Amino acid sequence: MSDGKHLIKGLFLGAKETLPNGQESAIRKKSVESIKINFTHISDDAIVDQVHHGGEMRVIHHYSQYNYHILKNKFPDIANRFQPGSFGENILTEELTEKDLFIGDIYQLGSAKVQLTVARRPCATINQSYQDSRVLKEVMSTGHVGWFYKVLEEGSVKLGDYLEFIERPFPNLKVSDLYDQGYAPGAKFKNRNFLNLCLATGLMDKGWKPKVEKALTSLP
C-alpha cells in the first residue's frame, strides 16, 4: 500500500556515458549510499538531455523491485540486465506500482519532503540501455514506467531510510489513470473531467502538460 512506510533499498546517481548505439545518456545509474536532494535537481546526478528530461516536476525518479520482477519474468533471456538503477531511477523500494499511487501524494523521504507528480513517459533510450528492442513496448503496454517527485523541502536520504506517506490531496487522481489516458489502446486523452483535474493540480511536467492542454482544446 502507498499510505505507509517503504524502506529505501536502493539509491542511484547517473553519469554521462555513451550507449552501444552511440547515444549519450545517464539512464544507467550507479548505486550510492546516500543522495542530496535539492529543489531543482539531485546533486551529482547527470541530466544529458535537458530538453526532455529534468525539471522541477521530476527531480526524483522512483521505481520498484516489483516492476523489475515483472520485467525479469517477461524476458528471462536477458533477466540479468534488469539490475537496480538500470531503468534510470534514483530511488528503489520493494513494492509500490503506478496503480497504488496518486498524483499529489506527499511523502517524507529521509530529511526531505517530496510530492508525487506524474508517471514517466518512456522513450527509446530504454531499448538502447538494455540492448533489446522488446523492452520499451512491454513497459509501455503494462504501464510499469516509474514516477516522479517534485521537492517541497530539500534534504538528503540514505540507504535504510524510509519513504513515509504524509498526505493525499487528490484521492481521485491515480497515476496509472493519467498514464492510461495517454498510452492505453483506444483511450487517448478522452476524459475531459479527469484531465481538467490533473491540470488544476499544477503538477503536470513539461512532457504531460502540453499534451493535456492540447487534448482539452480538442475535446467536445
Side-chain angles (χ1 to χ4, degrees):
M1 296 293 291
S2 57
D3 53 346
K5 293 176 64 173
H6 306 278
L7 180 66
I8 300 300
K9 304 197 73 171
L11 294 167
F12 307 93
L13 297 175
K16 183 172 74 172
E17 64 171 327
T18 302
L19 299 178
N21 70 332
Q23 176 184 350
E24 291 188 334
S25 174
I27 190 173
R28 301 195 290 202
K29 300 186 184 297
K30 306 297 183 185
S31 178
V32 294
E33 294 293 316
S34 64
I35 60 175
K36 182 180 178 182
I37 300 168
N38 307 296
F39 284 122
T40 59
H41 66 285
I42 293 174
S43 296
D44 301 317
D45 188 42
I47 300 173
V48 176
D49 182 353
Q50 298 281 344
V51 174
H52 297 101
H53 300 155
E56 66 176 358
M57 294 300 170
R58 42 187 178 186
V59 174
I60 304 165
H61 181 226
H62 186 172
Y63 210 54
S64 70
Q65 287 188 334
Y66 177 86
N67 283 355
Y68 273 123
H69 180 69
I70 291 173
L71 287 170
K72 289 179 179 182
N73 283 343
K74 179 67 178 182
F75 304 112
D77 55 319
I78 59 167
N80 64 314
R81 300 180 192 176
F82 298 112
Q83 298 298 320
S86 65
F87 203 77
E89 76 272 19
N90 300 110
I91 64 174
L92 180 79
T93 53
E94 178 72 36
E95 62 291 296
L96 292 180
T97 74
E98 297 74 7
K99 293 185 181 298
D100 299 322
L101 303 159
F102 294 76
I103 295 167
D105 281 358
I106 297 173
Y107 292 90
Q108 191 73 34
L109 176 60
S111 62
K113 184 183 289 186
V114 301
Q115 184 171 30
L116 197 153
T117 57
V118 292
R120 177 180 177 177
R121 296 171 56 249
C123 64
T125 305
I126 289 173
N127 283 346
Q128 301 302 332
S129 176
Y130 291 118
Q131 300 179 57
D132 194 296
S133 62
R134 301 171 294 172
V135 181
L136 177 62
K137 183 178 180 180
E138 171 66 16
V139 167
M140 292 187 70
S141 66
T142 60
H144 294 304
V145 293
W147 52 94
F148 292 109
Y149 300 94
K150 69 175 293 186
V151 178
L152 301 180
E153 295 179 6
E154 294 182 323
S156 61
V157 57
K158 63 183 183 300
L159 291 177
D161 282 347
Y162 288 88
L163 179 77
E164 186 170 0
F165 178 81
I166 297 175
E167 182 183 355
R168 176 161 295 152
F170 308 111
N172 297 316
L173 301 182
K174 273 194 173 185
V175 172
S176 58
D177 288 344
L178 173 62
Y179 183 83
D180 289 345
Q181 281 288 304
Y183 293 98
K188 306 284 188 188
F189 296 112
K190 292 183 178 179
N191 188 330
R192 172 179 284 277
N193 181 60
F194 178 81
L195 294 175
N196 271 319
L197 290 172
C198 287
L199 197 60
T201 66
L203 295 172
M204 297 296 97
D205 71 352
K206 60 187 177 184
W208 282 103
K209 186 178 180 181
K211 290 185 174 294
V212 172
E213 290 176 334
K214 181 179 180 180
L216 286 170
T217 62
S218 61
L219 284 172

